[in-house]
């Protein structure tokens, strides 16, 4: 087979492996499956036949004409390989080339390499190491020994033994999450109590626990388990427990000193969730009176010093990770439309860059579906001029089975592009990503305690997020990151870090938890980054109005009942009140539906009319959004009592239970279809996807107000104004609810 052969001649991967094995036998007299895989992987990453020769010589093969011929053949024939002739035409020293790209489409984005800018704060990047292919028969224990953390096992355990609190900086791929709890178990820490490892996300807690149970060869839920909201996969045997940070916070309500634990490891602490920040203050206090407990804070590099300072100058232990070089490229000039620029850059990469998948960060579902539609249209227009481009997407409202498609293999010779929100910054690694496109924006939630309104607005990302995004291209091999903003914008316009969640969220649930733990003076609580006094006072006011606190700020009997539920206190009060109205089963169903956010209904761009029709079918009789959610749940359960709720008194009971939790969220119809909130008056509107959007009831209660293009009320139900005085006489007077 000559060097001019095309990869299309291979009927399959097995044929390629057979050919490589035969050539290696002829070259060196032996061949192994591992070396065959290594040679093929090497050819995929190489930039020339000479590069293949050099790597094979490093491996131990002697240079010869036959070796050079083999290198040329395998370089030319490995699938996914862009020919050297085309590659030379595509590439130029300033970034993305202009060869075939101009022939396929006219609009292009000009990039410049970071290395050419001589930026003072240039990231230091280690040289890549091409790992040898592993046999499928290699054991999990051998995998553990290949992790970077393995070489530091003994020194890490010694540091943990010598210090009560340790900040651990574990680079991506170091193995800290799966290995440190196992090392602690092997060192005997679990003889004194359980080892807890917290995660910011439920999916991470489950997947990591499953992996560790495999490595320890035990059944998940026995020695290794996980605990998340509404699901506890542990037993009396459990010694290594993975859980969300919120779950550990709730365990503190029943066990304030965490006496059953010997080690608490807060993993991914740099994400700074509300629960993580509250845990910091509580763990710091526990460590002062429980000298036998060990606290490990796992952090990304930018936050290590901050965590160390907070925990009384705790030592920092650094673990190197697998790091491949990532080439950063910036636009030469600002782009006018980042969505259009992202689409153009995808196509530039597809026709000018060597094989590898693309990850594009966008701000939300609407942008992702627009980009998908435009890309499909453009690719169809190019026809057979360019290889196949497989489009995948991931965002929070996307059904789980569709999210899983980003991990599915694609046909040989094609390329995958993943369109994602910022949840892809720290989620599971998608193998094969070599290129990242970063427009520099995300949607961020914020909370205004003065108005009680939450907003979700597009804003610039931080430098920390930009670096995290770039790193996604270097997880499994060398990568490139194309930033759709200038180097000057990165240096001067992006904040160093994203503001911690505790400074931009509703604190009602946090305050109730802390009060339930006996912490009375919240203004003096040891927050790493304290929230505003206004936000704390707003939370106290609402808890008092809900009956969770008395006039002295102490937790009431109702408040303790509310604290038992892992929900927003307004939802908790709704459930507690449902017992009075004899509709607990129905209200619990509604609360469960509300607690999962805005993801009950999936509304794909190409089927919006059908999706809206299906959603409105649950609104028959203008029952309101809350009752509609119950109808959805009842339909899902396929029960036979779905007509019972239609009786007026039955619906009223459910509505009164809802108002018991959300009486402060009431609004009255104004002229021209807008509404005015009763307390703290401001103009709001019913969300266009509400079942009551076209009905304009005179009085409504709503679940939340969000700021998008307007201030919209979401999940709205009609009410009778006299119910407000009946249910919350301490909050409303008749003059508040009398119609003008």
């Amino acid at each position: 087979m000559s060097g001019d052969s095309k990869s299309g001649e291979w009927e399959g991967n097995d044929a390629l492996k057979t050919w490589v094995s035969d050539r290696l036998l002829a070259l060196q007299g032996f061949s192994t499956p591992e070396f065959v895989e290594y040679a093929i992987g090497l050819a995929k990453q190489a930039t020339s036949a000479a590069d293949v020769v050099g790597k094979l010589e490093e491996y131990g093969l002697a240079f010869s004409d036959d070796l050079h011929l083999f290198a040329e053949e395998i370089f030319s024939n490995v699938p996914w390989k862009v020919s050297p002739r085309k590659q030379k035409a595509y590439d130029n020293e300033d970034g993305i080339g202009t060869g075939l790209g101009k022939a396929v489409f006219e609009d292009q984005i000009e990039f410049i390499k970071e290395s050419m800018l001589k930026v003072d704060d240039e990231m230091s990047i280690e040289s890549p190491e091409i790992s040898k292919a592993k046999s499928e028969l290699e054991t999990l224990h051998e995998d553990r020994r290949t992790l970077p953390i393995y070489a530091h096992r003994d020194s890490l355990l010694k540091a943990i033994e010598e210090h009560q609190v340790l900040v651990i900086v574990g680079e991506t791929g170091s193995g800290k999450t799966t290995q440190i709890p196992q090392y602690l178990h092997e060192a005997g820490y679990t003889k004194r109590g359980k080892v807890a490892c917290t995660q910011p996300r439920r999916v991470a807690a489950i997947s990591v626990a499953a992996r560790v149970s495999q490595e320890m060869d035990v059944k998940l839920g026995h020695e290794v388990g996980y605990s998340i909201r509404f699901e506890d996969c542990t037993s009396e045997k459990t010694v290594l427990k993975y859980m969300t940070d919120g779950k550990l916070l709730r365990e503190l309500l029943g066990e304030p000193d965490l006496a059953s634990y010997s080690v608490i490891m807060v993993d991914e602490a740099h994400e700074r969730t509300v629960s993580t920040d509250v845990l910091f203050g509580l763990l710091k206090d526990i460590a002062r009176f429980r000298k036998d407990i060990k606290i490990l804070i796992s952090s990304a590099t930018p936050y290590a010093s901050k965590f160390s300072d907070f925990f009384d100058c705790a030592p920092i232990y650094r673990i190197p990770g697998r790091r491949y070089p990532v080439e950063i490229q910036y636009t030469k000039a600002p782009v006018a439309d980042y969505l259009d620029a992202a689409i153009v850059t995808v196509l530039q990469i597809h026709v000018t860059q060597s094989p590898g998948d693309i990850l594009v960060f966008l701000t939300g579902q609407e942008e992702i579906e627009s980009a998908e539609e435009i890309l499909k249209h453009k690719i169809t227009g190019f026809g057979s001029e360019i290889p196949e481009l497989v489009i995948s997407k991931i965002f929070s409202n996307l059904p789980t089975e569709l999210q899983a498609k980003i991990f599915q293999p694609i046909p040989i010779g094609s390329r995958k592009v993943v369109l994602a929100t910022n949840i892809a910054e720290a989620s599971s690694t998608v193998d094969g990503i070599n290129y990242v496109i970063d427009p520099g924006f995300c949607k961020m939630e914020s909370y205004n305690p003065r108005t009680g309104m939450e907003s979700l607005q597009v804003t610039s990302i931080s430098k920390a997020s930009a670096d995290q995004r770039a790193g996604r291209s270097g997880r499994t091999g060398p990568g490139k990151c194309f930033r759709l903003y200038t180097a000057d914008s990165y240096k001067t316009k992006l904040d160093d870090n994203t503001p911690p969640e505790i400074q931009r969220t509703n604190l009602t649930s946090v305050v109730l938890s802390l009060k339930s733990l006996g912490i009375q003076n919240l203004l003096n609580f040891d927050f790493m980054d304290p929230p505003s006094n206004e936000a704390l006072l707003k939370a106290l006011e609402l808890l008092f109005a809900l009956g969770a606190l008395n006039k002295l700020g102490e937790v009431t009997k109702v408040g303790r009942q509310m604290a038992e539920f892992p929900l927003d206190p307004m939802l908790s009060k709704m459930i507690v009140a449902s017992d009075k109205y004899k509709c607990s089963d129905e209200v619990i169903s509604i609360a469960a539906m509300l607690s999962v956010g805005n993801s009950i209904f999936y509304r794909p761009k190409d089927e919006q009319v059908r999706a809206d029709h299906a959603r409105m079918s649950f609104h028959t009789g203008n029952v309101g959004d809350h009752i509609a959610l119950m109808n959805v749940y009842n339909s899902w359960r396929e029960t036979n009592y779905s007509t019972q709720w239609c009786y007026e008194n039955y619906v009223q009971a459910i509505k009164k239970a809802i108002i018991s939790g959300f009486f402060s969220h009431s609004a009255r119809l104004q002229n021209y279809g807008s509404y005015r909130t009763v307390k703290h008056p401001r103009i709001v509107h019913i969300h266009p996807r509400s079942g009551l959007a076209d009905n304009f009831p005179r009085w409504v209660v709503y679940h939340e107000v969000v700021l998008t293009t307007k201030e919209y009320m979401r999940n709205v139900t009609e009410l009778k104004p006299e119910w407000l005085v009946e249910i919350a006489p301490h909050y409303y007077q008749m003059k508040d609810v009398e119609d003008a």
Side-chain angles (χ1 to χ4, degrees):
M1 184 172 291
S2 70
D4 294 330
S5 300
K6 304 298 180 187
S7 60
E9 291 183 24
W10 297 111
E11 295 180 358
N13 200 36
D14 290 342
L16 175 61
K17 290 180 180 178
T18 300
W19 176 79
V20 172
S21 180
D22 290 344
R23 296 292 284 116
L24 289 172
L25 279 170
L27 271 173
Q28 56 185 10
F30 71 91
S31 174
T32 64
E34 292 85 357
F35 191 40
V36 169
E37 293 278 6
Y38 171 64
I40 293 172
L42 177 63
K44 286 182 178 181
Q45 296 191 23
T47 57
S48 66
D51 190 21
V52 177
V53 172
K55 294 299 182 183
L56 290 174
E57 285 186 293
E58 289 178 12
Y59 190 83
L61 274 67
F63 178 80
S64 66
D65 291 340
D66 287 340
L67 179 66
H68 191 270
L69 178 61
F70 168 69
E72 287 187 341
E73 289 175 336
I74 192 172
F75 181 74
S76 299
N77 290 296
V78 164
W80 288 66
K81 179 56 61 184
V82 175
S83 71
R85 178 180 58 80
K86 283 186 178 180
Q87 190 66 49
K88 185 175 181 181
Y90 296 154
D91 291 343
N92 63 51
E93 62 182 2
D94 291 331
I96 292 185
T98 57
L100 181 60
K102 281 191 175 178
V104 176
F105 57 93
E106 296 180 359
D107 296 329
Q108 294 198 78
I109 307 296
E110 288 192 85
F111 289 91
I112 184 167
K113 293 181 182 178
E114 181 186 42
S115 57
M116 299 182 65
L117 297 170
K118 298 182 179 179
V119 181
D120 292 336
D121 299 327
E122 184 175 359
M123 293 171 57
S124 61
I125 300 174
E126 299 171 12
S127 300
E129 293 182 5
I130 302 177
S131 59
K132 299 178 182 178
K134 297 183 176 67
S135 167
E136 292 182 2
L137 300 177
E138 191 171 9
T139 66
L140 288 170
H141 292 291
E142 289 173 330
D143 284 340
R144 291 183 64 192
R145 288 193 287 270
T146 65
L147 292 169
I149 195 174
Y150 181 75
H152 302 266
R153 180 186 184 278
D154 293 340
S155 61
L156 174 61
L157 286 173
K158 184 179 179 182
I160 293 172
E161 182 182 355
E162 293 175 350
H163 304 282
Q164 185 182 18
V165 181
L166 191 66
V167 177
I168 300 173
V169 178
E171 300 291 351
T172 296
S174 64
K176 64 185 185 304
T177 305
T178 58
Q179 301 308 301
I180 292 177
Q182 292 187 71
Y183 294 164
L184 293 167
H185 173 58
E186 293 160 2
Y189 282 90
T190 52
K191 294 178 182 177
R192 306 196 297 268
K194 296 190 292 285
V195 171
C197 180
T198 70
Q199 299 291 318
R201 295 178 179 82
R202 286 175 286 179
V203 173
I206 296 171
S207 60
V208 173
R211 171 70 184 189
V212 172
S213 67
Q214 288 180 326
E215 292 184 357
M216 290 179 60
D217 194 23
V218 297
K219 185 177 179 180
L220 182 62
H222 287 195
E223 286 82 356
V224 181
Y226 65 85
S227 182
I228 61 176
R229 188 171 70 160
F230 305 134
E231 187 176 353
D232 187 4
C233 183
T234 62
S235 64
E236 293 181 356
K237 295 181 179 180
T238 302
V239 292
L240 300 185
K241 187 173 180 179
Y242 289 87
M243 62 178 76
T244 54
D245 43 17
K247 184 64 176 179
L248 181 60
L249 191 57
R250 295 201 62 78
E251 285 197 14
L252 275 160
L253 293 174
E255 191 180 44
D257 59 352
L258 296 177
S260 62
Y261 292 92
S262 61
V263 183
I264 303 293
M265 176 177 171
V266 182
D267 198 19
E268 307 293 349
H270 56 274
E271 294 205 15
R272 300 294 302 278
T273 66
V274 170
S275 295
T276 295
D277 269 24
V278 174
L279 275 177
F280 286 154
L282 296 172
L283 290 175
K284 184 177 180 180
D285 188 52
I286 290 172
R288 286 171 177 158
F289 66 83
R290 262 201 69 189
K291 296 301 182 183
D292 61 322
I293 195 170
K294 299 289 186 180
I295 309 294
L296 308 180
I297 308 298
S298 168
S299 162
T301 306
Y303 285 99
S305 297
K306 188 178 184 73
F307 292 148
S308 173
D309 292 342
F310 179 76
F311 284 98
D312 303 323
C313 298
I316 300 173
Y317 189 97
R318 301 183 186 275
I319 304 168
R322 292 191 182 118
R323 177 176 286 183
Y324 294 91
V326 175
E327 181 183 294
I328 307 292
Q329 299 200 20
Y330 296 94
T331 56
K332 291 185 176 180
V335 297
D337 183 336
Y338 68 80
L339 182 59
D340 179 65
I343 292 167
V344 171
T345 306
V346 167
L347 295 172
Q348 283 182 242
I349 292 172
H350 187 44
V351 300
T352 68
Q353 297 290 297
S354 56
D357 296 336
I358 307 168
L359 173 61
V360 185
F361 285 98
L362 297 171
T363 65
Q365 178 180 349
E366 186 175 349
E367 278 188 3
I368 287 173
E369 291 182 335
S370 294
E372 178 186 29
E373 188 176 20
I374 296 169
L375 276 171
K376 284 181 177 178
H377 176 73
K378 287 184 176 291
I379 292 167
T380 302
F382 295 145
S384 59
E385 290 186 69
I386 62 175
E388 181 184 3
L389 185 66
V390 179
I391 302 174
S392 300
K393 54 191 177 184
I394 182 169
F395 48 86
S396 59
N397 280 4
L398 191 68
T400 306
E401 64 274 12
L402 296 181
Q403 291 188 22
K405 285 188 175 182
I406 67 171
F407 300 105
Q408 293 177 357
I410 57 175
I412 290 178
S414 61
R415 190 197 300 267
K416 177 164 60 182
V417 56
V418 179
L419 308 176
T421 60
N422 58 348
I423 63 172
E425 283 183 19
S427 61
S428 300
T429 300
V430 181
D431 289 337
I433 296 292
N434 292 101
Y435 305 99
V436 164
I437 298 173
D438 174 20
F441 293 96
C442 69
K443 277 186 179 176
M444 185 179 295
E445 289 187 8
S446 62
Y447 173 72
N448 185 337
R450 193 165 301 164
T451 62
M453 185 178 66
E454 296 182 35
S455 61
L456 187 63
Q457 294 182 302
V458 175
T459 184
S460 296
I461 61 173
S462 64
K463 288 189 179 76
S465 288
D467 296 341
Q468 187 86 353
R469 290 181 175 189
R472 304 306 294 178
S473 65
R475 295 293 296 268
T476 56
K480 292 183 181 181
C481 176
F482 298 94
R483 290 177 172 165
L484 303 182
Y485 43 92
T486 64
D488 183 67
S489 294
Y490 174 83
K491 291 176 64 179
T492 62
K493 295 183 179 179
L494 300 189
D495 293 334
D496 289 338
N497 296 298
T498 305
E501 189 181 9
I502 201 163
Q503 293 184 336
R504 49 185 176 85
T505 194
N506 187 332
L507 298 178
T508 312
S509 185
V510 171
V511 170
L512 181 58
S513 295
L514 291 176
K515 285 284 186 179
S516 298
L517 285 167
I519 298 169
Q520 297 301 325
N521 192 340
L522 298 176
L523 296 179
N524 289 335
F525 182 76
D526 198 356
F527 290 107
M528 182 178 293
D529 290 295
S532 68
N533 290 348
E534 188 177 23
L536 288 171
L537 291 173
K538 182 75 174 181
L540 289 168
E541 288 176 7
L542 179 56
L543 288 171
F544 174 73
L546 290 170
L549 301 179
N550 61 23
K551 292 182 179 180
L552 299 177
E554 300 165 336
V555 181
T556 63
K557 180 181 178 181
V558 170
R560 296 204 177 277
Q561 287 180 303
M562 291 166 57
E564 291 294 319
F565 294 98
L567 297 169
D568 179 276
M570 297 175 82
L571 287 172
S572 299
K573 178 60 183 293
M574 186 175 88
I575 293 174
V576 170
S578 69
D579 181 56
K580 173 183 176 182
Y581 297 103
K582 309 302 179 186
C583 56
S584 294
D585 186 48
E586 292 74 24
V587 168
I588 287 171
S589 299
I590 293 171
M593 303 282 271
L594 288 170
S595 70
V596 298
N598 199 32
S599 59
I600 296 296
F601 297 102
Y602 175 49
R603 192 171 184 257
K605 188 177 181 67
D606 55 348
E607 296 184 37
Q608 289 181 356
V609 175
R610 288 182 61 190
D612 290 344
H613 179 74
R615 176 172 51 82
M616 290 304 296
S617 68
F618 296 104
H619 288 265
T620 303
N622 296 327
V623 293
D625 296 332
H626 294 87
I627 306 299
L629 288 175
M630 188 187 71
N631 291 341
V632 173
Y633 183 77
N634 285 343
S635 296
W636 178 63
R637 289 203 310 183
E638 296 182 347
T639 58
N640 295 320
Y641 55 84
S642 59
T643 57
Q644 293 183 8
W645 57 265
C646 293
Y647 297 107
E648 178 63 23
N649 60 345
Y650 187 63
V651 172
Q652 282 191 9
I654 297 173
K655 287 183 177 180
K656 285 184 176 181
I658 293 168
I659 293 168
S660 296
F662 290 85
F663 55 80
S664 62
H665 287 186
S666 60
R668 178 192 302 178
L669 181 65
Q670 304 295 298
N671 295 330
Y672 309 110
S674 64
Y675 285 78
R676 180 184 292 273
T677 55
V678 181
K679 289 286 186 175
H680 311 293
R682 69 180 188 278
I683 298 300
V684 292
H685 305 266
I686 294 180
H687 196 281
R689 292 188 194 171
S690 167
L692 298 179
D694 298 323
N695 294 301
F696 304 109
R698 290 173 62 192
W699 288 83
V700 296
V701 62
Y702 57 88
H703 179 62
E704 62 185 351
V705 170
V706 294
L707 174 62
T708 54
T709 54
K710 293 181 180 179
E711 295 184 18
Y712 284 119
M713 300 180 288
R714 276 210 293 232
N715 292 310
V716 178
T717 288
E718 185 176 7
L719 61 83
K720 294 181 179 179
E722 58 266 26
W723 291 348
L724 294 173
V725 179
E726 174 192 334
I727 292 168
H730 60 290
Y731 201 80
Y732 292 105
Q733 298 177 9
M734 283 304 299
K735 65 178 182 179
D736 294 323
V737 300
E738 290 173 350
D739 283 321

